Amino acid sequence: MEKGKPQSRFCFILVLSAFFWSLLFFFHFSVLQSEPYISPEVPIRRPSISSSSSDNSPQIPIGRPTISSSYSTSTPRQKPKKKNFPFMRALRTVENKSDPCGGRYIYVHNLPSQFNDDMLKECRRLSLWTNMCKFTSNAGLGPPLDNSLGVFSDTGWYATNQFAVDVIFRNRMKQYKCLTSDPSLAAAFFVPFYAGFDISRFLWGFNTSVRDAASLALVNWLTARPEWQVMGGRDHFLVAGRITWDFRRLTDEESNWGNKLLFLPAARNMSMLVVESSPWNGNDFGIPYPTYFHPAKDSDVFIWQDRMRKLDRPWLFSFAGAPRPDNPKSIRGQIIDQCNNSRACKLLECDFGESKCHSPSSIMKMFQGSLFCLQPQGDSYTRRSAFDSMLAGCIPVFFHPGSAYTQYTWHLPRNYTKYSVFIPEDDVRKKSVSIEGRLREISPEQVKVMREEVISMIPRLIYADPRSGLETLKDAFDVAVEAIIDKVTKLRKDIIEGHNDDDYIEENSWKYALLEEGQRTVGPHEWDPFFSKPKNENGGDSGSGSSAEAAKNSWRNEQRNQ
């Protein structure tokens, strides 16, 4: 019996050891090697794109969000997350009915002063021939006009330069009621760069490097900003108070006109508001030339409109302008001839040098006494005179659709027959139409209706005094800002819904501006012959080249008028 005890203890220890190792192996293979268990009540958390944006937060490029996770997404228990974009918070502000600025917030970039204020400090350098210092006074309105002839109303009239929109628009923006310092709320981003003043300093006698310097510096500054990264600049806009051809230099040849701001890749994403846009490019939009009238309150506008309704208008039609003998395509010579040969026409011939055409009171007095005002092309498609005449309640007569109908689609009715008369240039050039005869075909009742339409449009065509503001009326600034916000909002919604305009043809951009709400495609148009671009000897488009020449001529005439 004594010899059997050690043997039984050894067997007990052996059995105990075997049991322990069995438990260890079981735990290793059954638990440690199995997949982790995740409770279906606890969702897997994945990084999402924040709907807010700040200067210090990284921005997510537009497109499909990238989801990073260490877990498999193939399990049927996982529901795909709805795409979220950095601009979602801005879109949702519309839903807050208690917020009067919902969906209307504008973020203004705080640019270095070299892009705006410094130019005004050196205002004498803004033009070779014009002292722009007086025209940049009074928030860009210029000096007050003398009303000794009683042509104007008592207040709100200034000797405004036609190229002063840069500073007028910026000062109006300072009074905008829905500014925000939070970029995540912004419906659009305003870039207060004085592009028109910038190029006006360097067009004559400076090489392309100097002409492009500020534009390149601006783009470098903007593209480094986090606000830019959200949509690659497609929610940004700026204003230039000159025609688009000053910013569309095709090559770096020193002899070529202007700078290349609007051809820079980054600028092609932005929207640029100019007093004349290109019919063949999609990144610029026409806004009205400034007139002499800048009311401070609604009543100033109403009083002026009532006065224009009651005026006696002894002249059937009138024309203010100079011939263009060096331009074989111009019809101004024929228009002047027809006016001279008609007892129903008032002519204000604008000879170079001293001329009544340089007197705001003389111009406005003539327009106020006319039923119709002839508005042929200027050196380029458009003229300030068109807006001065409509301000006077005069029905404009256009001879090219690019003078108004395809330019100012935000501010003018798309049905141009409601407020204007269209006579094709060729009909005048070939002497197959009498302007007086065409205008006499319009009944007095229809003339009255058309004149009322023109007078009702006045608020949308003028820029209110930036130092005050209209109460209920929308001026040209309000209309433009609203249109930009609508454009950006539509683009954001298209991105969310995955809509792409794959069939968009930029060369037909003038046609897209005429589409009705909901339309996306364009086809043949009656105005195609007006916008067909002739090909040059190398097979390239010469449309921009000829337009640049028109811009150069405009500057030459500005020089001669001093």
Side-chain angles (χ1 to χ4, degrees), residues 169 172 176 411 464 470 473-483:
F169 203 98
R172 284 284 284 111
Y176 183 66
H411 296 79
L470 304 180
L473 296 174
K474 293 181 180 179
D475 73 341
F477 167 88
D478 294 317
V479 172
V481 170
E482 186 176 285

Side-chain angles (χ1 to χ4, degrees), residues 60-109:
I60 308 299
I62 292 302
R64 186 178 298 276
T66 300
I67 299 177
S68 174
S69 174
S70 60
Y71 297 107
S72 169
T73 58
S74 60
T75 170
R77 290 182 302 211
Q78 304 308 318
K79 295 182 179 180
K81 287 183 69 69
K82 189 175 182 179
K83 286 189 290 187
N84 197 8
F85 296 95
F87 48 72
M88 296 296 290
R89 187 181 178 207
L91 288 177
R92 293 192 186 107
T93 60
V94 165
E95 301 169 4
N96 185 359
K97 303 303 181 184
S98 63
D99 183 2
C101 289
R104 299 171 52 224
Y105 286 106
I106 297 290
Y107 179 93
V108 179
H109 279 289

Side-chain angles (χ1 to χ4, degrees), residues 126-127 129-132 134-137 140-143 145 158-169 196-197 200 239-244 246-247 273-276 286-294 320 324 332 350 352 357-358 360 363 367 375-388 408 461 463 550-562:
L126 295 180
S127 174
W129 314 293
T130 304
N131 180 5
M132 290 297 293
K134 67 177 182 179
F135 293 116
T136 56
S137 64
L141 305 184
L145 282 172
Y158 297 83
T160 305
N161 186 275
Q162 64 176 330
F163 301 125
V165 169
D166 300 60
V167 65
I168 294 174
F169 203 98
F197 288 163
S200 68
V239 175
R242 297 206 69 93
I243 61 179
T244 189
D246 287 336
F247 312 98
L273 312 188
V274 287
V275 292
E276 177 178 315
I287 58 174
Y289 284 85
T291 64
Y292 303 111
F293 186 38
H294 306 281
R324 293 290 187 268
R332 287 189 173 205
C350 302
F352 295 124
C357 281
H358 306 144
I363 293 172
F367 288 158
Q375 300 296 343
Q377 294 188 69
D379 296 291
S380 57
Y381 288 126
T382 61
R383 328 171 60 200
R384 169 186 174 153
S385 175
F387 295 98
D388 289 335
Y408 310 107
L461 306 180
Y463 296 90
K552 188 184 298 185
N553 290 335
S554 177
W555 276 89
R556 289 196 181 105
N557 289 322
E558 185 177 340
Q559 174 188 13
R560 292 169 184 162
N561 292 336
Q562 300 311 309

Side-chain angles (χ1 to χ4, degrees), residues 77-369:
R77 290 182 302 211
Q78 304 308 318
K79 295 182 179 180
K81 287 183 69 69
K82 189 175 182 179
K83 286 189 290 187
N84 197 8
F85 296 95
F87 48 72
M88 296 296 290
R89 187 181 178 207
L91 288 177
R92 293 192 186 107
T93 60
V94 165
E95 301 169 4
N96 185 359
K97 303 303 181 184
S98 63
D99 183 2
C101 289
R104 299 171 52 224
Y105 286 106
I106 297 290
Y107 179 93
V108 179
H109 279 289
N110 185 22
L111 296 181
S113 60
Q114 71 188 75
F115 296 114
N116 40 52
D117 292 334
D118 289 352
M119 296 185 203
L120 299 187
K121 293 176 183 177
E122 300 180 353
C123 52
R124 290 189 179 274
R125 293 185 57 213
L126 295 180
S127 174
L128 276 177
W129 314 293
T130 304
N131 180 5
M132 290 297 293
C133 294
K134 67 177 182 179
F135 293 116
T136 56
S137 64
N138 291 314
L141 305 184
L145 282 172
D146 172 63
N147 191 29
S148 57
L149 298 180
V151 176
F152 313 123
S153 44
D154 294 333
T155 59
W157 290 81
Y158 297 83
T160 305
N161 186 275
Q162 64 176 330
F163 301 125
V165 169
D166 300 60
V167 65
I168 294 174
F169 203 98
R170 184 192 179 200
N171 285 320
R172 284 284 284 111
M173 184 63 77
K174 291 178 180 178
Q175 303 300 322
Y176 183 66
K177 296 179 180 179
C178 296
L179 296 179
T180 180
S181 58
D182 183 352
S184 72
L185 296 177
F189 294 78
F190 178 56
V191 182
F193 172 46
Y194 291 158
F197 288 163
D198 168 55
I199 191 57
S200 68
R201 299 178 295 177
F202 305 123
L203 276 174
W204 300 95
F206 292 89
N207 62 32
T208 56
S209 297
V210 174
R211 284 181 260 159
D212 294 338
S215 297
L216 293 171
L218 174 75
V219 164
N220 289 337
W221 190 91
L222 282 174
T223 54
R225 298 288 302 175
E227 297 86 8
W228 180 273
Q229 306 304 321
V230 174
M231 294 184 68
R234 289 182 289 173
D235 49 4
H236 284 53
F237 71 104
L238 56 84
V239 175
R242 297 206 69 93
I243 61 179
T244 189
W245 315 112
D246 287 336
F247 312 98
R248 292 191 177 278
R249 194 185 69 246
L250 292 172
T251 74
D252 286 337
E253 292 291 329
E254 300 293 348
S255 59
N256 282 2
W257 183 255
N259 68 23
K260 59 181 180 182
L261 171 60
L262 282 173
F263 284 136
L264 296 176
R268 291 180 70 87
N269 280 355
M270 288 192 287
S271 297
M272 187 156 162
L273 312 188
V274 287
V275 292
E276 177 178 315
S277 62
S278 165
W280 307 297
N281 298 97
N283 59 335
D284 58 356
F285 302 87
I287 58 174
Y289 284 85
T291 64
Y292 303 111
F293 186 38
H294 306 281
K297 52 185 182 296
D298 287 6
S299 58
D300 293 342
V301 181
F302 298 144
I303 292 172
W304 179 255
Q305 288 176 305
D306 287 342
R307 180 176 172 181
M308 293 305 99
R309 291 186 179 99
K310 298 172 182 177
L311 284 176
D312 180 37
R313 298 178 184 266
W315 302 104
L316 176 64
F317 64 112
S318 63
F319 175 63
R324 293 290 187 268
D326 53 346
N327 182 0
K329 294 183 180 180
S330 175
I331 62 170
R332 287 189 173 205
Q334 290 94 324
I335 286 177
I336 291 173
D337 288 342
Q338 288 205 33
C339 190
N340 276 325
N341 294 328
S342 171
R343 294 183 178 179
C345 182
K346 172 69 173 176
L347 178 64
L348 202 62
E349 197 163 0
C350 302
D351 297 325
F352 295 124
E354 289 297 321
S355 168
K356 289 185 177 181
C357 281
H358 306 144
S359 165
S361 58
S362 297
I363 293 172
M364 292 301 294
K365 183 177 181 180
M366 184 186 74
F367 288 158
Q368 290 174 29

Side-chain angles (χ1 to χ4, degrees), residues 532-551:
S532 59
K533 293 198 290 182
K535 301 295 181 180
N536 60 31
E537 294 178 357
N538 298 321
D541 290 326
S542 64
S544 295
S546 59
S547 299
E549 188 63 32

